[in-house]
Amino acid sequence: MHMMLNERRERFQGKQGRRRPTNVSLTAALVDEAKALGINVSKACEEGLAAANREERERRWLEENAEAIRSQNDYVAKHGLPLAKYRQF
């Protein structure tokens, strides 16, 4: 639980917190095109990194919970949905 709170705090601070200068190497043509198109390179990099972080967290969660997901799917396949008799559709 404590780790989960720390992760949430870090994600919030990442969105709202202080900024850290970072060197990133990008191809010159890519940067030139972005500038010509009026794209904020720092913001684009930040958004791309945030997306990569989200995707990796999701991949890891799915990997860590794969057995529970399989087990639940097997149960539903064998017994049906637990509250199916109460469904109105």
Side-chain angles (χ1 to χ4, degrees):
M1 174 85 172
H2 178 68
M3 184 172 202
M4 202 162 79
L5 291 174
N6 283 339
E7 288 175 5
R8 238 187 254 161
R9 184 181 311 118
E10 287 172 10
R11 273 186 279 189
F12 178 78
Q13 288 174 345
K15 292 177 184 171
Q16 305 293 327
R18 61 186 163 81
R19 303 188 71 72
R20 178 185 301 172
T22 305
N23 292 326
V24 178
S25 296
L26 306 168
T27 60
L30 190 62
V31 174
D32 292 343
E33 182 179 12
K35 287 185 178 186
L37 294 169
I39 294 172
N40 180 326
V41 175
S42 293
K43 184 177 178 185
C45 288
E46 185 173 3
E47 289 171 355
L49 185 56
N53 287 347
R54 269 191 313 276
E55 290 168 9
E56 181 60 17
R57 280 194 309 272
E58 180 180 354
R59 186 196 67 75
R60 288 181 184 196
W61 186 91
L62 287 170
E63 183 178 300
E64 291 166 4
N65 292 283
E67 182 56 36
I69 293 168
R70 256 191 310 278
S71 175
Q72 182 65 20
N73 288 340
D74 291 344
Y75 176 89
V76 170
K78 184 175 181 180
H79 303 288
L81 293 171
L83 302 175
K85 65 182 178 183
Y86 300 108
R87 292 174 73 171
Q88 307 239 340
F89 53 93

